[in-house]
Amino acid sequence: MIEGEPGIGKTALLQLAREDATETGVRVLDGCGVELEAGFAFGVLGQCLDPAIRAADQAERRRLFSGAAALAEPLLADLVGLDPEASFGALHGLYWLLANLCQSGPALIAVDDAHWADEASLRFFAYLVRRVDSLPLALMVATRPAGEKEENSALSGLLADPGSQLLLPAALSGLAVAQLIGNEAEDTFSRACHSATGGNPFLLDQLLRALREEGVPFTAANARLVETVAPPQVARATRARLDRLEPAAAALAGALAVLGDHAALDLAAELAGLAPDEGVQAAESLTRVGLVDFDRVLRFRHPLLRAAVDTSITPLERDAAHRKAASVLRERDAPPEQIALHLLVATPSGSVTDERTLRDAAARAAHRGAPASAVPFLRRALEEALTREDRVDVLLELGDAERAAGKLPNAAEHLREAVRLADDPIIRARALVELDRTIGPDPAAHQELLALLADTIDRTSTLELDRDLELRLKGAFLTAAFTAGSADRSRVSEIAAEFAKLPGDTPSESIALCGLLESIVQRGRLDPNLASNASEIGSLAERAAYHADELLAAGVRDSRAHGLLLALRWTDHLDAAERVTDQWTEIAHRQGSEEAFAAARMHSAHLNRMRGRLRHAEADAEAATAAAPPGSVSFVMACVALTDCLISKGDLAAAQAAYDAIGLGEQIPPFPPYNGVLTVRLELRCAMGQHAAALADYEELTRRSGGRRSGANVAGILTAIESHHALGHQDVVKPELDQALTLAHQWGTPSAIGSVMRARGRLASDPTQSIEDLHTAIAYLERSPRRLVHTRALVDLGSALRRAGRRSDAREPLRAGYELARECGADGLAETARLELAASGVRLRRERLTGAESLTASERRIADLAATGASNAEIAQALFVTVKTVEMHLTHAYRKLDITKRAELPNALADPTAQPA
């Protein structure tokens, strides 16, 4: 990152880097931000990639866009002349496109004037900088210092990245100024020049150029004249320089000021009204007097020069020029974004053509995954003379773009206006559905929405409403009713009962069922007579999972997908949950979405932990934390899954480190997804013997849930009981266990009932009762897919039998528990079982982990993939990591397995005691 004020030398440093790269055989990928084109999504990135992709023949293009890089092809289609596809390519695909590009040699990406770069390109560079050290690639970005308005921009995020090395070019010293001016200047004159320019190289150059053109000798006597031609007068000097040139040069300079830097000469000449040969001569004149640089495209040598030319153009002339530029570009079949950029700064014409261009430009920006770039186009479209119907359509498009860009208050405002203006009840229904998705967990806003939804449902009841829209409209009513906490209960019950009967045969039915599940599982505010136990909720969840594709493809921020997986997990429908997480992983790969991949692997980690596949669970959780954007909700949830897994393994030090990585501090924000953070901290504190703190967490969880308790969450209740028991609160333990057992029976899963019976057996003071309860627990848990808690119950039973003096009876459950614990990867539990066996008279040697068993979870997963023949790049693309990460894990695995070749992996991993991949 090269940061500095205009004229300090950023561009010169970049140019030096380009020249050095070219001399040493490094490919240069060059781009530059242009003020007028800041809304052109991926425009700067397109500049960087355009020459390399256009120069590639058909075979080379196939190679460049192979593997995950195929995701980038449709994104860049209209930027670099490729055939467009229906889906948009993601940052993941762009990264792998660069990786493929770098296979033929190292490269330098050099971006100038990044403060004017489009948000989408900057977002990619921020993504790239976290991975750039894994490629033979250098990234150099020049920018001005961030102003107050840019503090939250993608550029500020790029600057703040710890991987960025910041260069701050200093101003020239007085001595340097004197050396640059040379012997022709006397000391007093040089000092005046340094004072007037502040040591800014560009301003010094302009000052000296103006003084020489005025014929001013560089003597002490003329030092006072310096101030009259100093930086504040650069504009005057530039205009004077233009006045001395032929009219064609001045016209071309004006056209370039309108078009912005990096304009093609033929386009600038046409806008200036010049013939092609006149344009070439005018460009040469401007270059000769130091106003522009010309190398394939035209560019002012400095923003101050452009500003100086721009001030000589009247507002009416500028407006006419932008409108003419839009017309010329339209005749050339330019992309809508390039035309729309000029319409943004031109006065509205009331033209249907302009409105269509602006909306097309917005649609293309949104299609590329850059909704923030779509917003200004749509806001400008609203200024055209729209019919009422067209205004509603534009407002809907604008609300959708603003929501996707994270501008939720603005999106809600425009969607409310669409609702108000919509005469057609079907269009109004669409607007209300979008508004429901936008206003978030605000009870007051949902209360306001309820009446509108109820009225629209009534008004559309006699119409032939599209079934998908009907279900979404009623689903929005349910969401609003549950969030607001009050509504027409009879209507709520009617809609909920209707949804509960849906077979889940279509995506819209699945989405409706998922919305119902979210209300039951996460909000807990539905009539318990509808679905109150695991059998009923599990049936809903199984049907909801039939066609969840559309919901999963919509992204991780739709909480209904998480509600579906929670319902499947809590009801022990783990096979269906695994199918959904696998489907989500496939969608993540198709979209190149790291967040979707992280969410799917996070849920998979919880599933594998429940099944007792702790090595798989740990690998899934590590993959999720590596893929999730730092600081995102996805990252927090991935850390929760990893912490939970490590607690189950018995590695409390590692669990504490995983929890600390969440970085939320002591006070967990009162945000529903973060209740999982409180839950895992409760478990960790109990496991570490911090029982008073654990109970404080449980009390906070109870407060946040409004005091509601369910057999679905019996694990948290049992953890709190464990802490009460450890603190000697025996008057609390028995009634809490009795209530937990009642809840577990109401819920109805063998795992819930078995878990409570296990806790009763462990905490019972009477040995006979303890053994009886543990036998009962095992009978239930044998019918549960939750193998880990079953394994714990076996060890608990063996321990209870041994303490009761029945050493020979203890050995069988202890041996079974020991073997299962080792298979699960529950090292702490296996060690407990080994010690109990020793106390019962059976001595087992503590086995040192070697070979395949010694691999970490991530090493094993990567080694397994490599053993199937996958290349390092293919593994990296599948796991959303870099090739460098894959190489590091394989190096460690080779050392632990005592092998040197990839071909030796299958045999080395064929360890009968190791978990299969």
Side-chain angles (χ1 to χ4, degrees), residues 569 572-582 600-622 641-642 644-650 784-792 819-827 829 855-858 860-861 864 913-917:
R569 276 165 39 199
D572 285 353
H573 288 248
L574 303 192
D575 290 341
E578 285 188 356
R579 288 196 298 272
V580 173
T581 56
D582 289 346
R601 290 301 89 197
M602 177 271 291
H603 283 291
S604 182
H606 285 299
L607 288 168
N608 278 318
R609 180 185 58 80
M610 293 162 69
R611 287 195 185 276
R613 301 192 299 222
L614 295 184
R615 295 186 186 92
H616 281 186
E618 186 179 1
D620 278 331
E622 287 179 348
L642 181 57
D644 216 356
C645 172
L646 293 167
I647 293 170
S648 298
K649 283 186 67 178
S784 162
R786 304 193 184 205
R787 191 167 64 148
L788 185 59
V789 69
H790 176 216
T791 304
R792 287 172 175 156
E819 294 299 331
L820 280 173
R822 289 194 66 221
E823 286 179 24
C824 289
D827 302 331
L829 184 59
L855 301 181
T856 67
S858 294
R860 178 64 196 248
R861 172 160 291 180
D864 282 333
T913 64
Q915 279 188 298

Side-chain angles (χ1 to χ4, degrees), residues 287-302:
T287 303
R288 188 169 56 253
V289 297
L291 287 177
V292 303
D293 289 325
F294 178 43
D295 179 17
R296 291 183 300 142
V297 292
L298 289 168
R299 179 183 181 184
F300 281 106
R301 288 195 61 221
H302 193 276

Side-chain angles (χ1 to χ4, degrees), residues 3 95 124 216 254 286 301 333 391 447 490 650:
E3 185 183 75
Y95 169 82
F124 172 69
V216 176
L286 293 172
R301 288 195 61 221
D333 291 324
R391 179 168 292 276
Q447 186 65 54
S490 62

Side-chain angles (χ1 to χ4, degrees), residues 522-535:
Q522 294 189 316
R523 301 176 191 273
R525 293 182 181 170
L526 195 67
D527 183 354
N529 295 321
L530 178 67
S532 59
N533 60 46
S535 175

Side-chain angles (χ1 to χ4, degrees), residues 196-197 200 202-210 213 226-242 291 302-309 311:
T197 62
N200 184 292
F202 171 77
L203 294 178
L204 177 66
D205 175 71
Q206 293 297 301
L207 172 63
L208 298 177
R209 185 186 292 271
E213 287 176 354
V226 168
E227 294 296 338
T228 66
V229 211
Q233 306 302 322
V234 166
R236 184 185 63 80
T238 302
R239 288 194 294 271
R241 202 178 308 159
L242 275 174
L291 287 177
H302 193 276
L304 286 175
L305 298 178
R306 177 177 180 245
V309 173
T311 56

Side-chain angles (χ1 to χ4, degrees), residues 384-621:
E384 295 293 338
L386 304 175
T387 65
R388 188 183 183 98
E389 183 179 346
D390 284 345
R391 179 168 292 276
V392 171
D393 287 342
V394 174
L395 286 167
L396 285 171
E397 293 165 13
L398 177 56
D400 186 56
E402 287 173 328
R403 181 181 59 246
K407 303 177 185 297
L408 298 185
N410 294 18
E413 176 189 346
H414 289 116
L415 289 171
R416 284 190 180 97
E417 187 179 354
V419 171
R420 183 179 60 80
L421 293 175
D423 295 322
D424 185 332
I426 293 178
I427 300 298
R428 192 169 185 243
R430 280 179 49 211
L432 286 169
V433 168
E434 295 304 312
L435 182 58
D436 171 66
R437 295 175 59 201
T438 302
I439 56 181
D442 180 353
H446 277 95
Q447 186 65 54
E448 177 187 339
L449 188 62
L450 273 173
L452 294 169
L453 286 163
D455 176 66
T456 304
I457 289 172
D458 291 338
R459 291 174 63 186
T460 56
S461 62
T462 58
L463 301 176
E464 291 187 8
L465 195 63
D466 175 78
R467 179 60 170 165
D468 177 76
L469 180 57
E470 179 189 0
L471 289 174
R472 291 175 190 267
L473 183 63
K474 291 179 177 178
F477 182 86
L478 280 187
T479 301
F482 298 142
T483 307
S486 64
D488 178 351
R489 298 303 302 172
S490 62
R491 191 190 292 268
V492 169
S493 297
E494 179 186 337
I495 294 174
E498 177 188 346
F499 279 16
K501 294 174 184 176
L502 294 172
D505 291 339
T506 65
S508 58
E509 289 185 357
S510 283
I511 290 173
L513 282 165
C514 287
L516 181 62
L517 284 169
E518 182 196 21
S519 300
I520 296 171
V521 174
Q522 294 189 316
R523 301 176 191 273
R525 293 182 181 170
L526 195 67
D527 183 354
N529 295 321
L530 178 67
S532 59
N533 60 46
S535 175
E536 295 166 344
I537 293 174
S539 173
L540 293 175
E542 285 275 0
R543 282 179 275 143
Y546 290 162
H547 292 282
D549 318 47
E550 185 177 325
L551 183 64
L552 298 174
V556 300
R557 293 177 179 83
D558 194 324
S559 57
R560 290 173 296 185
H562 298 285
L564 168 62
L565 281 161
L566 280 175
L568 290 169
R569 276 165 39 199
W570 289 356
T571 57
D572 285 353
H573 288 248
L574 303 192
D575 290 341
E578 285 188 356
R579 288 196 298 272
V580 173
T581 56
D582 289 346
Q583 189 177 20
W584 207 350
T585 301
E586 291 174 10
I587 288 170
H589 282 130
R590 284 204 305 271
Q591 294 181 336
S593 170
E594 286 187 310
E595 273 200 287
F597 178 81
R601 290 301 89 197
M602 177 271 291
H603 283 291
S604 182
H606 285 299
L607 288 168
N608 278 318
R609 180 185 58 80
M610 293 162 69
R611 287 195 185 276
R613 301 192 299 222
L614 295 184
R615 295 186 186 92
H616 281 186
E618 186 179 1
D620 278 331

